[in-house]
Amino acid sequence: MRRAFLVAALATAFGSIAAPLAAAQERVVNVYNWSDYVDPQMLKLFTKETGIKVVYDTFDANETLETKLLAGKSGYDVVVPTAYFLQRQIMAGVFSKLDKSRLPNLANEWPEIAKRLAAYDPGNQYGVNYMWGTTGIGYNVKAVHERLGPDAKIDSWDVVFKPEIIAKFKDCGVHMLDSSDDILPAALHYLGIDPNSTKADDLDRAAALLEKVRPYVRKFHSSEYLNALASGEICLVVGWSGDIKQSEKRARDAKNGVDIGYSIPKEGAQMWFDNLAIPKDAPHRDAAYAFINFMLDPQVAAANSTMVDYANGNLASQKFIDKKLLEDPAVYPNAATMAKLYTVNARGPRAQRLINRIWTRVKTGH
């Protein structure tokens, strides 16, 4: 009911701009975004108000997106890379500089998030933040209490990186993201090493730590854990904040007795940014600008955040976001937690090849 009301209100709000946008020659916008990462009603509303059809494809790994972009002629008009991939792809000449005069809703951006994003994209010339979040620990509350005691708290990376603790969860299922950019920095940080280190010795130490806990990890995957955690198929995961919050919501809606929790470990965790960008060879550039500007409307951004349980980089949207979500420290961390969050930078080709080899070794166990 709340969402239906919001859609109706947005339809009224956008009525005044519908006619000129609908008159645009481009009648389609090809979007490539992460899975489970938008309110479908917002895509329908965009088409209703602009006459521009949204062709919406999804991926679950930055590498998949990067392969398409570097090959060229991907056919996509709007894509959503994470900041350190955005940084690398900017250097590769993949994206067009944004004409900010065509994005009036940029006035709604959150200065703090834009400032952090500028470390990857100086001057915020190529990307606009869509959502941001953290990489932490999702868990089945009942399973934790059964294995660690009724008063146990998941507040440390110890549960992941100490073999004697993670071993207790092997029987109920452990997943990790299939993402070297999330898991290796977490291991480095836990060891007291710069999470951006590309030194072979440092990476070998991180790999050795992961190899000790590898026997207790059932699968490395970057999307399956969402449903697996919600259904009770697994009980522990290193995953992305909003995905785990979505899992919590699905379990609650299913009334299956599964209670999900999410922790940003006290040692600190990775903060990441997913961003809207336009490939240099985008075939429908006018439609791309219309789509990005629409997504930056405060009420649209709020609807998307409320649906996917991620924080967004739109400060003006906060007065429309569900209060429970806005006050959830797992989604919008407090200042003390924010101070402990680290970011990951793009690596050069040589370092990336080394990381790829190490990651393959960790996953395969040899």
Side-chain angles (χ1 to χ4, degrees):
M1 182 63 70
R2 171 182 162 82
R3 190 168 289 111
F5 176 80
L6 177 58
V7 172
L10 284 167
T12 301
F14 282 104
S16 62
I17 66 169
L21 286 175
Q25 289 184 353
E26 293 82 356
R27 312 304 297 167
V28 64
V29 61
N30 298 318
V31 179
Y32 200 32
N33 197 359
W34 294 84
S35 56
D36 300 298
Y37 214 30
V38 73
D39 183 342
Q41 294 299 321
M42 295 302 100
L43 301 183
K44 292 177 181 178
L45 182 61
F46 174 76
T47 297
K48 179 180 178 181
E49 298 303 331
T50 66
I52 300 171
K53 177 184 176 182
V54 181
V55 177
Y56 192 87
D57 294 337
T58 63
F59 58 90
D60 65 4
N62 273 295
E63 290 81 2
T64 304
L65 169 62
E66 184 169 70
T67 297
K68 288 180 180 289
L69 291 175
L70 294 179
K73 298 182 179 179
S74 69
Y76 291 112
D77 303 300
V78 178
V79 296
V80 192
T82 303
Y84 43 87
F85 274 78
L86 174 72
Q87 181 182 24
R88 193 159 74 195
Q89 291 154 8
I90 288 171
M91 292 187 286
V94 165
F95 297 118
S96 290
K97 281 189 178 181
L98 296 173
D99 180 352
K100 296 183 180 182
S101 69
R102 303 183 69 179
L103 298 171
N105 281 331
L106 267 178
N108 301 315
E109 70 181 349
W110 191 346
E112 170 67 17
I113 301 304
K115 180 181 177 182
R116 291 187 181 230
L117 181 57
Y120 304 93
D121 174 16
N124 301 108
Q125 297 183 83
Y126 294 90
V128 179
N129 184 250
Y130 175 57
M131 298 285 170
W132 61 272
T134 55
T135 300
I137 305 168
Y139 56 93
N140 182 308
V141 175
K142 182 180 178 181
V144 168
H145 290 164
E146 288 175 346
R147 287 156 179 80
L148 302 182
D151 298 323
K153 291 183 179 180
I154 301 297
D155 62 356
S156 169
W157 284 112
D158 285 349
V159 73
V160 172
F161 293 127
K162 285 192 172 181
E164 64 271 24
I165 300 180
I166 194 173
K168 297 178 185 292
F169 295 90
K170 182 180 180 180
D171 66 309
C172 60
V174 178
H175 277 200
M176 284 189 182
L177 291 167
D178 185 6
S179 170
S180 61
D181 293 306
D182 287 272
I183 305 301
L184 281 173
L188 287 165
H189 185 71
Y190 181 74
L191 292 169
I193 301 170
D194 179 0
N196 281 295
S197 177
T198 57
K199 295 178 181 177
D201 287 348
D202 290 344
L203 292 169
D204 281 340
R205 286 183 62 192
L209 178 67
L210 287 164
E211 285 166 348
K212 288 179 181 177
V213 302
R214 174 65 184 90
Y216 312 111
V217 179
R218 182 181 296 177
K219 180 177 280 191
F220 291 86
H221 202 281
S222 295
S223 60
E224 283 186 11
Y225 69 89
L226 201 158
N227 283 325
L229 193 61
S231 67
E233 180 185 338
I234 64 171
C235 59
L236 192 72
V237 63
V238 178
W240 295 311
S241 52
D243 280 8
I244 293 165
K245 298 301 292 186
Q246 285 186 60
S247 183
E248 178 184 348
K249 184 188 295 183
R250 291 183 187 186
R252 187 169 59 247
D253 291 346
K255 298 179 180 178
N256 59 6
V258 176
D259 185 12
I260 305 300
Y262 176 72
S263 171
I264 300 174
K266 60 187 177 185
E267 298 92 347
Q270 183 182 157
M271 179 185 192
W272 47 259
F273 311 89
D274 288 338
N275 313 284
L276 300 161
I278 301 175
K280 187 169 286 186
D281 57 1
H284 310 105
R285 193 166 301 275
D286 289 344
Y289 276 105
F291 183 80
I292 292 176
N293 195 57
F294 176 87
M295 296 294 270
L296 294 176
D297 177 86
Q299 293 186 64
V300 173
N304 284 326
S305 276
T306 298
M307 170 63 75
V308 305
D309 293 299
Y310 278 104
N312 67 61
N314 190 312
L315 186 61
S317 74
Q318 293 188 11
K319 59 186 174 184
F320 301 108
I321 292 175
D322 186 285
K323 186 177 180 181
K324 185 177 179 182
L325 183 71
L326 194 61
E327 296 178 351
D328 187 338
V331 181
Y332 284 89
N334 59 32
T337 302
M338 288 280 279
K340 294 181 179 180
L341 301 179
Y342 60 83
T343 55
V344 173
N345 300 325
R347 290 103 170 195
R350 180 180 297 178
Q352 194 59 51
R353 284 194 296 270
L354 174 60
I355 288 169
N356 291 345
R357 286 198 300 271
I358 289 174
W359 185 238
T360 299
R361 189 177 89 212
V362 167
K363 288 198 299 176
T364 60
H366 55 77

